Amino acid sequence: MNATINRSMDSKTWAMLLLLSMLWGGSFFFIGVAVNDLPPLTIVTLRVALAACALWMFAIATGIRLPKSRETWFAFVGLGLLNNVIPFSLIVWGQTQIASGLASILNASTPIFAVFVAGLFLPDEKPTPLKLLGVMIGFIGVATMIGLPALNGEGNLMAQLAIVGAAFTYALAGVYGRRFKKLGINPVVTSAGQVTASTLILIPVAIYIEGPINVSAVSSQTWLAISALALISTAFAYVLYFKILELAGATNVLLVTLLAPVSAVLLGALFLNESLQMIHFFGMALIAIGLSAIDGRLWVRLKPSTH
């Protein structure tokens, strides 16, 4: 099977990436509801456990063939560690020390790491000067949109390094996940295997650190938020993630971390009565310019002829 990818995304892949950014941008809202009743690691564990159940049920119901090789299942464990357990834990811990705005800015550094990690390990994803420029413009756009005031008064270096570490781990996961195309694994199965491995790792850790859940103290609103977080922002989102990874590669799929803050801000304005200011639109414009540079096709058309 040919494992190469399209370095320039077509309109269908861009639409999938935008949808993924909305799903992951919405996760901030669901988590914001759930933290009123549940501790962080418990939320993460419930998120991946419910997503795993939903994905396996879907795979079985639709007749998708499940992998049998030991190599594939070990690969799921590695992907679960890189894409869920390590970054989720670092982000949860980091956000107990620093504001979510700063955490979002730091997490948006993921495509910067992805450009370099993918360029180092994947021959068909070598970075171009235009792609590097686009990533930097997009990152500046995220910082601008979320608001530079979010950087004030944040002196916890270790917490900031934890979020940066999570961003780097996401970049490694994007490169690592490319192997599943070579193995011929369906994106639904890859998603299910990843969150299953994450669940098995996280259950004992969450129980040891936070104890068992007091079900009677959890509101129905929180359970609805956890369900949406697991089914919409995790199960469905990861199927999209691995499909985009299969089509467009690690560098392109991780552009979602530039788009997710845009979705989060817009969803907050639509559903939480949060105000949109001119700085938000300016930041979104910078992100759009950065993404167009990463895609490259429009810039090539605008380049003057050298005849």
Side-chain angles (χ1 to χ4, degrees):
M1 180 179 292
N2 186 2
T4 60
I5 49 90
N6 297 316
R7 296 179 64 178
S8 291
M9 294 187 286
D10 58 21
S11 57
K12 178 182 176 181
T13 309
W14 272 110
M16 292 168 65
L17 192 73
L18 288 170
L19 177 57
L20 179 59
S21 75
M22 292 178 65
L23 298 177
W24 278 349
S27 69
F28 292 104
F29 170 77
F30 300 133
I31 290 171
V33 174
V35 292
N36 293 320
D37 290 334
L38 294 169
L41 278 178
T42 298
I43 292 172
V44 173
T45 305
L46 288 171
R47 176 182 185 176
V48 293
L50 291 175
C53 293
L55 286 164
W56 285 125
M57 289 173 62
F58 179 80
I60 293 169
T62 54
I64 297 174
R65 191 170 62 182
L66 306 185
K68 296 179 180 179
S69 73
R70 185 178 300 178
E71 177 192 5
T72 301
W73 287 100
F74 274 119
F76 287 153
V77 173
L79 187 61
L81 283 168
L82 290 173
N83 219 19
N84 293 153
V85 177
I86 295 174
F88 284 5
S89 300
L90 287 172
I91 289 170
V92 166
W93 180 81
Q95 285 196 241
T96 64
Q97 311 291 322
I98 63 176
S100 58
L102 176 57
S104 298
I105 294 172
L106 294 171
N107 189 52
S109 64
T110 299
I112 299 174
F113 289 121
V115 166
F116 291 104
V117 174
L120 186 63
F121 292 104
L122 301 175
D124 56 351
E125 293 197 46
K126 295 299 181 184
T128 63
L130 189 58
K131 180 162 284 194
L132 291 171
L133 175 64
V135 168
M136 294 306 299
I137 293 173
F139 181 74
I140 293 169
V142 170
T144 302
M145 183 191 66
I146 293 174
L148 296 178
L151 298 172
N152 295 333
E154 300 290 346
N156 193 318
L157 178 61
M158 291 305 297
Q160 295 179 51
L161 289 176
I163 306 297
V164 173
F168 179 68
T169 308
Y170 279 136
L172 292 175
V175 172
Y176 186 87
R178 280 284 304 278
R179 70 179 55 203
F180 292 96
K181 181 175 182 179
K182 296 178 183 178
L183 294 171
I185 306 298
N186 186 288
V188 173
V189 175
T190 303
S191 304
Q194 170 196 252
V195 290
T196 299
S198 302
T199 301
L200 295 175
I201 295 168
L202 282 166
I203 285 175
V205 175
I207 292 175
Y208 177 77
I209 294 176
E210 298 174 347
I213 302 171
N214 182 4
V215 177
S216 62
V218 182
S219 67
S220 58
Q221 186 179 25
T222 294
W223 285 122
L224 284 172
I226 288 291
S227 299
L229 181 65
L231 301 178
I232 299 172
S233 295
T234 306
F236 181 44
Y238 269 125
V239 173
L240 273 178
Y241 169 90
F242 286 111
K243 186 60 180 176
I244 299 169
L245 180 62
E246 179 183 296
L247 293 172
T251 304
N252 286 330
V253 74
L254 291 171
L255 297 177
V256 72
T257 58
L258 293 177
L259 287 166
V262 176
S263 300
V265 168
L266 291 176
L267 287 169
L270 288 172
F271 298 108
L272 300 177
N273 296 319
E274 295 175 357
S275 61
L276 276 176
Q277 301 172 6
M278 188 57 65
I279 195 73
H280 292 126
F281 293 104
F282 181 64
M284 291 178 198
L286 285 175
I287 292 172
I289 293 170
L291 291 173
S292 71
I294 292 165
D295 182 65
R297 285 174 292 182
L298 179 61
W299 290 57
V300 169
R301 292 174 187 171
L302 294 175
K303 186 176 180 181
S305 175
T306 56
H307 297 326

